[in-house]
Amino acid sequence: RKIIMTRFTLSIFILLFAVIYAGCIFTGPKVIWSENLAIQANSKDGKMHDDNIYTAGESSPLISDRKDKNSVEEADKYTHATLSWVQTQKIEKIVIKSDEGQLEFFEALYADDEGNWKSLRSVRDNLKTAYSINMLGKPIMTKAIRLKIPRRWDSRRVGGQKRRTRGETGAPQGTSKKIREIEVYHSIAPEPEMPSTEE
C-alpha cells in the first residue's frame, strides 16, 4: 500500500509540475505582429494581397528570363504568385488563404541578395483554407516572395474524401489557381514599460 501511495503521490507531483511548466510557456511574452506587409507589395494580380478575403487573385504563367531547357520545362509545369517590394523586408510569417483544394501542392520561396530563389517550404496534401509559414526568431530578409504552384497534380482527395491511390483523375487542370490572400508579417518588439513618475 505504501508503494502504491508513493507512486500515486509521485504521479500527482509530476502532473502538477507539468501543468505549472506548461502555464509558464503559454503565458510567456505574446508575439506582436506588424501590419500586413503584403499590402504595399507589387504583383501581377493585386486581388491576392489587397487585404480583402472576399476577392481572389490568380496565379500567372511562370516566365523565366533564361531560355534554357530547364527553365522552359519549369514554365510548362508551374504557375506562380510573386510579391515584390522596392525595399528589403524582414519577414517572419507568411499566411496563404485559398479555397479548399486550390493550393493542395505548392512551394514557398524567397529571393536572396543575388535574386536567386531559395525554398522556404514545400507543401503537399494541403486542404486548409489558411496555411501559415512561421519563421519567428529566424527571419528572412528579402525583396520578393513567390508561391510556385504546379499546373496539375494527382490529388489524394475528391470532395473531401481521402483517396487510396494517386492514380485517379486529379486536381483541376486549369492554368492558374485562385488565391484569396497572401499576408506577410514580421514581429514587433513590445514597447518597454515606462518607469513610474509617481513618488
Side-chain angles (χ1 to χ4, degrees):
R1 179 174 284 180
K2 287 183 179 180
I3 293 173
I4 293 172
M5 287 299 292
T6 304
R7 287 183 179 171
F8 179 75
T9 306
L10 183 61
S11 298
I12 294 294
F13 177 76
I14 291 171
L15 181 64
L16 186 62
F17 177 78
V19 168
I20 293 171
Y21 181 73
C24 291
I25 291 174
F26 292 122
T27 58
K30 186 178 178 181
V31 177
I32 301 171
W33 295 107
S34 67
E35 292 183 359
N36 183 3
L37 305 174
I39 298 171
Q40 291 100 31
N42 299 309
S43 72
K44 288 191 175 181
D45 191 338
K47 290 181 180 178
M48 71 178 71
H49 58 104
D50 60 0
D51 212 23
N52 182 353
I53 195 65
Y54 298 106
T55 60
E58 292 189 351
S59 60
S60 54
L62 184 60
I63 300 171
S64 175
D65 295 334
R66 297 176 294 180
K67 301 300 178 186
D68 58 273
K69 183 182 177 183
N70 289 341
S71 298
V72 172
E73 287 179 354
E74 185 179 50
D76 287 341
K77 293 179 181 178
Y78 297 94
T79 63
H80 75 106
T82 300
L83 305 186
S84 62
W85 294 265
V86 175
Q87 302 293 329
T88 299
Q89 303 294 322
K90 175 185 175 184
I91 297 174
E92 291 181 279
K93 184 178 181 181
I94 302 170
V95 180
I96 303 115
K97 298 178 180 178
S98 64
D99 295 338
E100 184 177 313
Q102 283 290 304
L103 295 178
E104 189 173 346
F105 291 78
F106 68 92
E107 184 177 10
L109 307 104
Y110 71 98
D112 65 13
D113 293 339
E114 285 75 41
N116 299 312
W117 291 105
K118 303 290 185 183
S119 181
L120 275 172
R121 184 172 299 176
S122 184
V123 179
R124 299 171 59 84
D125 301 324
N126 168 53
L127 289 181
K128 297 177 183 176
T129 55
Y131 190 92
S132 181
I133 300 171
N134 198 324
M135 300 160 285
L136 186 62
K138 297 180 180 179
I140 57 168
M141 304 298 292
T142 187
K143 288 186 177 181
I145 61 168
R146 168 176 284 177
L147 303 183
K148 190 170 80 169
I149 309 157
R151 288 180 182 270
R152 59 188 61 86
W153 57 74
D154 290 331
S155 176
R156 282 187 182 273
R157 301 166 189 261
V158 170
Q161 301 301 313
K162 188 171 183 180
R163 296 183 176 184
R164 293 180 182 174
T165 68
R166 287 181 175 274
E168 307 166 48
T169 59
Q173 300 291 310
T175 58
S176 62
K177 300 293 181 280
K178 292 188 181 296
I179 300 171
R180 290 279 173 190
E181 204 65 35
I182 302 173
E183 301 171 0
V184 180
Y185 304 95
H186 64 80
S187 62
I188 299 173
E191 294 182 8
E193 293 184 11
M194 298 297 292
S196 175
T197 55
E198 295 180 5
E199 293 184 2

